[in-house]
């Protein structure tokens, strides 16, 4: 596709469940970012990948959050034992690397009941 | 640590008029980037304009321009000839100049455009 895609668009889950959120970056983009946007807030950085490796995971709030990018393209954000406070829009962005513009996907709205 | 502050939670403007959205930031770095993003209800973040800190000239993109005051750490967005389609949340964001370009965001300003 031409842009960054994220699936699912919306996810409703129950407290304590495990969820996976997927990001398909623009083809050829080496850098990938995950952000979390809570209601009424600006996005907050979670993790940055350069290629397959997590170059900066300082924004992950705790060890329930984990992200992978095994082949340097698609990335999956994994949240274990979800809590109601995890409810937010999770945004993914990709860039060509070396400081190129970040292109954002439409986000996944996660609701934890 | 870098911070970004947007002190106007909501703004409104009449169609065809001009509006200015404010943003201040704090950093100890000398080289960095500043951005304004637009987020409509569809949630898609759209880049409006970017400014490299080492450039003294203010960036301009059609009806959008910035007033970048590096010493004052101020980065305001001016929208001229406002259109109904400009109604959205506007976020100011700061990005470092290294390979890791993670963005630090303000809380946003909700812009309403009145016909």
């Amino acid at each position: 596709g031409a842009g960054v895609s994220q699936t699912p668009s919306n996810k409703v889950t129950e407290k304590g469940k495990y969820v996976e959120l997927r990001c398909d970056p623009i083809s050829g983009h080496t850098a990938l970012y995950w952000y979390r946007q809570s209601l009424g807030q600006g996005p907050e950085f979670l993790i940055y990948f350069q290629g397959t490796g997590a170059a900066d995971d300082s924004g992950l709030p705790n060890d329930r959050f984990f992200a992978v990018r095994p082949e340097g393209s698609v990335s999956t954000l994994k949240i274990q034992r979800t809590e109601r406070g995890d409810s937010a829009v999770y945004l993914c962005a990709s860039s060509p690397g070396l400081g190129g513009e970040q292109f954002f996907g439409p986000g996944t709205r996660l609701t934890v009941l | 640590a870098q911070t970004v502050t947007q002190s106007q939670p909501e703004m409104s403007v009449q169609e065809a008029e001009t509006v200015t959205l404010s943003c201040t930031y704090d950093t100890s770095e000398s080289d960095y980037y500043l951005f304004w993003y637009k987020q409509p209800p569809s949630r898609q973040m759209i880049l409006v304009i970017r400014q490299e800190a080492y450039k003294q000239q203010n960036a301009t993109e059609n009806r959008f321009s910035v007033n970048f005051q590096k010493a004052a750490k101020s980065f305001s967005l001016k929208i001229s000839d406002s259109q109904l389609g400009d109604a959205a949340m506007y976020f100011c964001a700061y990005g470092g100049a290294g390979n890791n370009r993670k963005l630090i965001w303000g809380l946003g300003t909700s812009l309403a455009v009145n016909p």
Side-chain angles (χ1 to χ4, degrees):
Chain A
V4 178
S5 62
Q6 293 186 245
T7 55
S9 177
N10 291 282
K11 175 70 176 178
V12 180
T13 191
E14 293 179 343
K15 180 176 179 296
K17 298 291 188 182
Y18 168 83
V19 296
E20 290 189 351
L21 311 180
R22 176 187 168 107
C23 172
D24 280 86
I26 294 172
S27 178
H29 280 193
T30 58
L32 187 145
Y33 301 81
W34 283 99
Y35 297 88
R36 178 170 72 174
Q37 186 177 19
S38 300
L39 188 64
Q41 304 291 313
E44 294 177 301
F45 167 77
L46 294 176
I47 188 169
Y48 156 61
F49 286 91
Q50 182 59 45
T52 61
D56 182 356
D57 64 357
S58 62
L60 295 178
N62 51 60
D63 61 5
R64 296 186 297 106
F65 288 74
F66 189 71
V68 295
R69 195 185 185 201
E71 298 179 356
S73 178
V74 170
S75 177
T76 304
L77 179 65
K78 308 180 180 190
I79 311 174
Q80 298 177 326
R81 304 183 304 280
T82 52
E83 299 178 356
R84 292 192 179 87
D86 299 335
S87 296
V89 173
Y90 289 81
L91 297 169
C92 175
S94 71
S95 82
L98 296 179
E101 175 190 341
Q102 291 183 35
F103 295 83
F104 282 81
T108 293
R109 181 180 298 280
L110 175 65
T111 303
V112 182
L113 301 177
Chain B
Q2 295 80 21
T3 59
V4 176
T5 302
Q6 293 180 251
S7 58
Q8 305 156 315
E10 297 179 345
M11 293 282 285
S12 64
V13 63
Q14 292 296 126
E15 195 175 4
E17 297 295 310
T18 296
V19 64
T20 298
L21 308 184
S22 301
C23 173
T24 59
Y25 61 95
D26 192 23
T27 184
S28 59
E29 298 176 342
S30 59
D31 195 15
Y32 49 87
Y33 294 80
L34 295 165
F35 306 85
W36 279 98
Y37 279 87
K38 171 184 177 181
Q39 187 179 40
S42 67
R43 301 196 306 243
Q44 186 94 37
M45 281 289 184
I46 302 165
L47 179 64
V48 175
I49 198 165
R50 63 182 276 174
Q51 174 80 43
E52 290 90 343
Y54 64 86
K55 289 187 177 179
Q56 292 186 340
Q57 186 173 4
N58 289 324
T60 299
E61 288 287 342
N62 301 313
R63 297 182 295 107
F64 300 87
S65 62
V66 299
N67 183 4
F68 173 48
Q69 301 290 328
K70 191 172 184 179
K73 295 180 181 173
S74 171
F75 182 61
S76 61
L77 174 69
K78 185 171 81 171
I79 306 174
S80 303
D81 185 26
S82 297
Q83 300 175 359
L84 295 177
D86 294 334
M89 283 292 293
Y90 285 81
F91 290 95
C92 178
Y94 170 101
N99 284 341
N100 183 351
R101 298 295 178 93
K102 68 181 180 185
L103 298 175
I104 310 300
W105 301 77
L107 292 179
T109 296
S110 178
L111 178 65
V113 180
N114 304 313

